[in-house]
Amino acid sequence: MNKDVIIALDFDSKEKVFSFLDKFVDCKPFVKIGMELYYAEGPEIVKEIKKRGHKIFLDLKLHDIPNTVKKSMKVLSELDVDMTNLHASGTINMMKGALEGLTRADGTRPLLIAVTQLTSTDQESMENDLLIKEPIDKVVMHYANNAKIAGLDGVVCSPLEAGKVHGVCGENFLTVTPGVRLAGDAVGDQKRVTTPKVAKELGSDYIVVGRSITGAEDPVKAYKQCVKEFLGE
Ligand code: C5P
């Protein structure tokens, strides 16, 4: 089973990203490229970071009709990223289309992960804005199970949900979990956070850490602390 610490590269220019990555001289962390950086710099930034030897989670959260998502995933498959994602609310058909598009001619493909309900959505906004009246926990597990039925590899969720997702979808179904902070760091806009050590105990497969590393005085030291706690290395 693969487990790793993924650093969220939440920067708005390649200069900022490279000055950050240049600090890592003796290791090549798994990194996440989100919409902000991708829309600012385009596919070139993915290729350049890949050339430097990093594994990449391309966090673009696709959601459209199945045919459009399938064709877009085909384009992304050529960027040679290691993990990418979409919204499970696009339906099982959309997820199946995505998987088809992402699979290269030789049968290889990046890991494909689903977002269930965004952590910014709560019970009230789900009921009032989306007219979904079921408990949010049930909706999250239902969407996770849909992702499993479609053949996806896992979901993005809170470390606090990782055990339940594994219970519903199996131990091999991956849980990729943001909302992680080193002890003593500011929580910021995250609502429920855990430390890398607790995320490990709760069964997370990959933790996504942004500000606890990017905002640290010594980012390399903070990254190594996350790895030590999460992987026990
Ligand atoms: O700085 P911080 O550690 O909070 O960053 C977490 C990263 O994970 C950000 O890039 C954020 O967009 C992403 N994310 C999240 N919650 C989700 C999905 C993605 O925090 N449900």
Side-chain angles (χ1 to χ4, degrees):
M1 173 70 67
N2 277 334
K3 296 216 171 209
D4 214 340
V5 175
I6 302 178
I7 304 179
L9 296 179
D10 292 325
F11 299 105
D12 60 7
S13 74
K14 71 175 183 186
E15 290 73 24
K16 288 179 194 164
V17 169
F18 291 143
S19 99
F20 174 78
L21 290 178
D22 284 345
K23 299 181 201 299
F24 293 81
V25 282
D26 62 350
C27 56
K28 294 281 179 193
F30 202 138
V31 297
K32 178 170 91 67
I33 298 175
M35 286 187 239
E36 182 185 15
L37 184 58
Y38 189 80
Y39 291 146
E41 299 290 351
E44 273 316 302
I45 190 74
V46 178
K47 292 179 194 164
E48 286 183 47
I49 293 175
K50 191 77 198 175
K51 219 185 292 166
R52 285 174 167 235
H54 296 272
K55 284 189 167 182
I56 296 174
F57 171 19
L58 188 58
D59 178 17
L60 298 181
K61 301 187 179 70
L62 274 68
H63 188 175
D64 208 315
I65 59 170
N67 187 49
T68 301
V69 170
K70 178 178 168 180
K71 291 199 292 188
S72 306
M73 284 293 186
K74 188 166 168 45
V75 175
L76 294 184
S77 75
E78 276 153 35
L79 283 178
D80 195 23
V81 298
D82 300 276
M83 182 186 290
T84 191
N85 63 357
L86 45 59
H87 275 282
S89 54
T91 74
I92 293 177
N93 259 349
M94 189 203 78
M95 290 191 270
K96 283 185 174 167
L99 207 55
E100 250 180 85
L102 200 59
T103 306
R104 305 181 190 102
D106 63 2
T108 63
R109 64 167 177 81
L111 293 170
L112 185 57
I113 305 296
V115 174
T116 56
Q117 283 292 347
L118 289 170
T119 42
S120 50
T121 306
D122 59 12
Q123 185 71 36
E124 195 187 346
S125 53
M126 205 183 64
E127 288 189 15
N128 296 341
D129 301 355
L130 309 179
L131 276 185
I132 300 173
K133 304 291 184 187
E134 300 284 351
I136 193 158
D137 211 38
K138 190 174 168 194
V139 175
V140 167
M141 295 307 148
H142 182 69
Y143 285 16
N145 199 45
N146 284 353
K148 172 139 204 242
I149 291 168
L152 268 65
D153 302 294
V155 288
V156 179
C157 63
S158 155
L160 302 161
E161 294 161 351
K164 200 158 179 196
V165 169
H166 284 140
V168 171
C169 300
E171 282 306 313
N172 293 331
F173 194 70
L174 301 173
T175 51
V176 179
T177 66
V180 175
R181 290 283 178 277
L182 284 168
D185 280 358
V187 169
D189 56 354
Q190 296 282 14
K191 297 260 185 286
R192 299 177 301 155
V193 298
T194 56
T195 61
K197 185 169 178 283
V198 171
K200 177 187 181 173
E201 286 159 12
L202 293 171
S204 293
D205 296 296
Y206 291 87
I207 53 170
V208 177
V209 188
R211 286 162 287 184
S212 257
I213 296 174
T214 55
E217 211 169 291
D218 183 344
V220 178
K221 191 171 157 212
Y223 169 70
K224 289 186 174 168
Q225 177 66 26
C226 290
V227 170
K228 190 172 159 209
E229 284 187 27
F230 187 63
L231 302 178
E233 283 171 10

